[in-house]
Structures are given as structure tokens and as C-alpha cells.
Amino acid sequence: MVQDSTGHDRDALTRDILEGGRRDQTGGEGQGGRQVRGVGEQPGDETGLGLAARHRGRQPVESVAGPGGQTGAEVVITRFSRRSSISPAGPPPALFCRGPTPCPCAYEDLHNGVMIGRRVTHRMADGVRVPGTWRHAFIRNGDYFLTDLFIYADGLVDCWGLVTLDEFEQKLRSGWVATELPEGARASGHDLAGWTFHEPRTWLTPEVMLAEVRDTIDQLNGRPDSTDRCLAAVDAFLADRTEERRAEVRAAYHAIPRTQRIYALGDMDHRDEPLKVLVAGPGGHTEEWPDDPVTQEEYDEAIAFLEDRARWIAERPSRVPADGPATPHAPAVHVPHVYPLKPSEARTKLSLRTDFPAPVDIDGVTYPSAAHAYWALSTADPAVRTAITNADTAAAAARLAAEAPQHDGWEHARAAVMHRLLRAKYAQHPDLADFLLSTADATLVYADADSAFWGDDAGRGRNWVGRLLELIRSELHAQRAGLG
């Protein structure tokens, strides 16, 4: 059974159309029939295609209303139609685009992230941020508990305890992670409510859920998942149309979790029908139509659709941001916290620290380091400021500042002050500026055991020094390029 986002049984809708006649031209119910709407549409909302059936032969004609409820186009219900007449010439609508005009994001990340979407999380492992996502699941621990299943890029799954993928499979097989929901079983969700199951229906099996989780891990790592591998097999077939290649498509298609196959082509008008027809071949049968063999005409239409799709993807304009990538190319640089930090002619990542002994002149006063200047400026007491300036170490300067009254509003101005001091440091020490520029576009992860505001604190801090260093680096690049 296939359900749409409203919970309707789409297969049942298909059967009703085939067995019950057709709607009249006003969009109402025909004799013995049933009105069919698009995914997520409500009564009176006929802006989408609204057709669930795919059937060939002499079919009834359906009238599909456009915006405002007016009839927009007539569509013949076919098991597979290469390009629906409801859409203008051009690329087919993208995933979940319901209107008559293709979405501008058509074919961009056709299915990637279907199982991730905006559900982004992470966990820390040995100071490393491991990206992850989550999905809902039932845990059977006596009763059934609706909870969140966390999936991480390193292959670990949290199902009330971190387990490997092999151990997760055992949890599925044992029913700890439940895919079967018995009639009358008691359940609860996040301590919000409790209920008992009555006529529960689930389309998940241990095999399907495991395959979905494997795909999710691939997506988290930016690797091809089962759908990507299937589409790559389709491309290989289009380039070399042999039965061996078609068999590879068949195997790859069946490796896609059953729940995800309809999203493979990113087209909610045709869903995965072209793939089904290609896999079956002329004279073969699809699962939905076991008594109705695929004709040569249908097979040719499926091939033509896939050719059009491949051609459109190859010719589509690039959507790479015009001003450069969103993420850095260079690996992150970790700037450790070291006690004590001594002067050195060798320019290493320790020179990026605010307490690195590089004298800084601010308003005619020379401070031993940017950190000395920061702590001196934090207080309005001239005597304390002088003592901080003469402190042997930045740590000693910080202790003196902690005992003195701060400037009013210091906590709101401190980031701007630090930015000024770092700018002066690298303007007055070109060799240090050269090293900062050598970090390219790397994320600078600044360790500060004393402040979660300035430091990264193993992913829990705000890393403001790291961010300001990246800003100074960009300013230096702009100056050297004559842009600032």
C-alpha cells in the first residue's frame, strides 16, 4: 500500500478510478466514481495534477482544474505518459511541485535529503563534531514508545544507546526497534500521550528500515545512496543498451527501499513509473499490473522520458553561487591553548593566539600582546591599566583585570575591541599576516580553556576569536587584491 502525505491509500484511489468511471467536467464525483486530488490537496483545491491512476488502453479523460477552480487541461489517465499535457514543454516538475508550471528548483538535488531534510544534529566524539539526523521510530521496551532514532555519519545509531549498523540490524530483527505494531498494544509518545493500537498499519519492515538508514548514512557522508546508484545504472544503460545493463538497472532499482522508490526521479507526476517500465521491459510485468504486460510503445515512451531527463540535467544551467562556495575547501585549523606561550621566530598556528608575544601599538601605547591590550582596555582605572600593560604574561594580565571594575557596557563592546586589536596585530606584523593568509579558507577553531565566548570549547563555545581571525584574513585578502 502506498500512502500520500494526507494518509490516503493511493493504490485504493487508483482502483476506485479504474472501477468507478470518471469525474464530470466540473470536478465533482462521477457515477460510481470517486474524486481524486493531488498530494496534500484539500476539497475545493484542484490546483495540482490530482491523478493517482496510471493505466493504458482506452481510458476516461479527466478534467483538471487550475488556479481559482477553473478547468485548466484535460489529461488522459495512463500508466505512463512521457510528458503530461498539464505541464508546458520543458523539464518535468520537481519533487512535490504541484502546480502546472515547473518549479525553478527542478532537478536540483532530486531526492538527496529526502530522509534528512532539515533534521540536522550532531554529537561530539573525541573533540570531533559528527554530523547526524533523526527520524521517528517505535522502541519496544515492554510497551511501545514513540521516540527519536538518531543516525550519525560515522555509522552509529542511537536507539536508546549507541550501536553499530550491524547491532542496529539485530535491534530491528529482535523487535527492539519495532516495525510491527500489534493490535491492542499500549504505546506512548514523549510523555505527551498514551494510547493503544487499533488496526495499525505500517509499511516498514526490518529490511526496509535498515536500507533507509544505510541510505541516510550515505547522504550524511555525501556518498551516492541507493537511488544515486540506480540513476547511475540508468545512465550506463542509456549509453550501452544491452540486457546486461538493464539487469543492472533492475538490481539497483530493487535495492532502493520500497518507501523511497517513488521519489527516485524527483517527479511526482510520473513518480517512478518510467523506471518500473524500463525494469520490466517489453512483454514484462510491473508489480502494480501483473496481468497487463508492458507494450513496446510504453517501453519506448519510458526510454524517451529518461533520455529527456538526462538531456535536461546535462544542459541545465549551473546553480553554483556566483560569489563562491558556501563551505571551505581547506581543512580546519585547530589553534591550541598552550601555557606559557613563549616568543618564537617560527610562524606556526600558535602565532594566531591573542596571547602570542607580538607587541601591539594602540593609541600610542605598546602592549606585549593583543591579549594584554584587551585586558588593559577592559578597565577604566589608569593604575590597573598600567599594571596590566606591564604584566609578565597574558594570564597575569587577565587576573589583574578580573579584580578591577570593567567599563560600562564592556560585554557588548568586547567583540569590536578584539577585532580592532587583531587588525592592528596583523597590520603591524606582516610575517604573522602572511601566516594567517596561508590558512586559505580554513575554519579556525580557537581553543580557550578560560572562555566559551572566545573559544570553541569542544563545539560548545562560540569561537569568537576564530571567527574574528577569519574576518581579519578576509580583510587582508581584500587589501592585497586592491579591494579594501
Side-chain angles (χ1 to χ4, degrees):
M1 179 186 73
V2 178
Q3 290 185 324
D4 63 19
S5 61
T6 65
H8 293 116
D9 182 348
R10 299 304 296 266
D11 293 337
L13 299 182
T14 300
R15 291 192 297 271
D16 285 349
I17 289 177
L18 299 179
E19 296 170 0
R22 66 176 184 176
R23 284 185 291 158
D24 59 32
Q25 291 293 327
T26 64
E29 297 189 22
Q31 294 182 353
R34 177 175 180 177
Q35 187 172 355
V36 179
R37 300 183 179 89
V39 176
E41 294 176 26
Q42 302 299 320
D45 176 10
E46 295 295 339
T47 60
L49 180 58
L51 299 178
R54 296 284 185 259
H55 187 61
R56 66 185 182 84
R58 294 183 175 85
Q59 310 87 352
V61 174
E62 295 292 335
S63 176
V64 180
Q70 298 182 0
T71 299
E74 288 189 345
V75 180
V76 176
I77 304 176
T78 58
R79 176 167 66 182
F80 170 75
S81 177
R82 179 161 61 92
R83 180 173 286 135
S84 170
S85 59
I86 197 171
S87 297
L95 185 62
F96 298 131
C97 295
R98 304 189 185 94
T101 305
C103 172
C105 64
Y107 284 103
E108 183 68 25
D109 294 332
L110 294 179
H111 76 284
N112 188 36
V114 166
M115 290 179 283
I116 296 177
R118 298 179 183 271
R119 299 188 300 273
V120 178
T121 186
H122 73 277
R123 78 175 204 280
M124 300 302 298
D126 296 331
V128 177
R129 188 184 182 101
V130 182
T133 184
W134 73 89
R135 58 178 293 166
H136 303 312
F138 279 103
I139 297 291
R140 187 192 61 169
N141 185 20
D143 291 341
Y144 289 75
F145 298 89
L146 179 62
T147 187
D148 293 322
L149 191 75
F150 292 90
I151 306 163
Y152 296 102
D154 59 0
L156 295 185
V157 180
D158 188 344
C159 49
W160 288 11
L162 283 174
V163 296
T164 65
L165 207 53
D166 288 341
E167 292 168 336
F168 176 68
E169 181 175 4
Q170 296 173 12
K171 296 284 188 182
L172 282 167
R173 304 290 182 193
S174 69
W176 172 262
V177 179
T179 56
E180 295 184 5
L181 308 175
E183 175 75 22
R186 295 186 303 178
S188 64
H190 299 282
D191 296 324
L192 296 175
W195 64 91
T196 57
F197 291 122
H198 174 62
E199 297 183 0
R201 293 185 295 174
T202 176
W203 48 89
L204 287 176
T205 64
E207 293 77 15
V208 168
M209 193 170 193
L210 180 62
E212 289 185 356
V213 169
R214 290 184 187 278
D215 271 356
T216 299
I217 293 172
D218 283 336
Q219 292 171 11
L220 287 169
N221 285 280
R223 299 191 300 252
D225 63 9
S226 61
T227 298
D228 294 316
R229 293 189 288 271
C230 177
L231 297 179
V234 171
D235 291 340
F237 170 80
L238 293 176
D240 179 22
R241 303 186 186 190
T242 62
E243 283 302 305
E244 180 181 359
R245 292 293 189 189
R246 195 162 68 84
E248 292 173 356
V249 175
R250 182 184 303 111
Y253 173 76
H254 288 142
I256 301 174
R258 183 181 296 273
T259 53
Q260 303 303 311
R261 292 174 187 170
I262 63 170
Y263 307 120
L265 294 175
D267 184 341
M268 287 305 289
D269 290 343
H270 298 108
R271 301 193 293 179
D272 58 337
E273 294 298 329
L275 292 176
K276 293 178 182 178
V277 173
L278 171 60
V279 166
H285 299 81
T286 63
E287 292 183 3
E288 290 80 0
W289 310 95
D291 300 324
D292 198 0
V294 172
T295 67
Q296 185 65 48
E297 179 183 3
E298 289 174 333
Y299 183 78
D300 292 342
E301 286 184 351
I303 295 297
F305 176 92
L306 296 171
E307 288 174 336
D308 284 352
R309 178 183 178 279
R311 187 179 305 111
W312 192 89
I313 291 175
E315 296 174 355
R316 66 178 174 173
S318 172
R319 297 192 68 198
V320 176
D323 61 343
T327 56
H329 293 294
V333 174
H334 179 255
V335 184
H337 199 162
V338 177
Y339 295 102
L341 193 55
K342 299 179 180 180
S344 173
E345 294 184 359
R347 296 312 179 218
T348 68
K349 59 186 179 180
L350 291 180
S351 68
L352 300 177
R353 297 203 58 80
T354 61
D355 55 342
F356 183 77
V360 179
D361 185 284
I362 303 295
D363 298 331
V365 179
T366 299
Y367 300 93
S369 71
H372 281 79
Y374 173 83
W375 292 118
L377 295 175
S378 71
T379 179
D381 188 322
V384 176
R385 182 175 291 186
T386 299
I388 290 174
T389 303
N390 296 325
D392 292 336
T393 66
R399 287 193 294 270
L400 289 171
E403 298 172 355
Q406 283 185 346
H407 270 295
D408 290 340
W410 175 253
E411 64 184 84
H412 302 300
R414 55 182 170 168
V417 172
M418 183 63 82
H419 178 230
R420 178 193 177 198
L421 298 178
L422 292 176
R423 178 184 283 172
K425 171 183 175 179
Y426 291 101
Q428 296 169 23
H429 296 276
D431 55 334
L432 299 183
D434 287 339
F435 180 80
L436 178 58
L437 289 169
S438 74
T439 61
D441 64 346
T443 299
L444 301 179
V445 181
Y446 192 86
D448 192 326
D450 302 317
S451 173
F453 177 81
W454 295 118
D456 175 73
D457 193 22
R460 296 181 294 270
R462 300 184 65 184
N463 194 40
W464 262 108
V465 169
R467 289 196 262 177
L468 290 174
L469 285 171
E470 293 174 21
L471 177 59
I472 299 296
R473 182 178 63 195
S474 181
E475 291 175 348
L476 291 171
H477 277 297
Q479 292 171 9
R480 297 194 180 189
L483 299 173

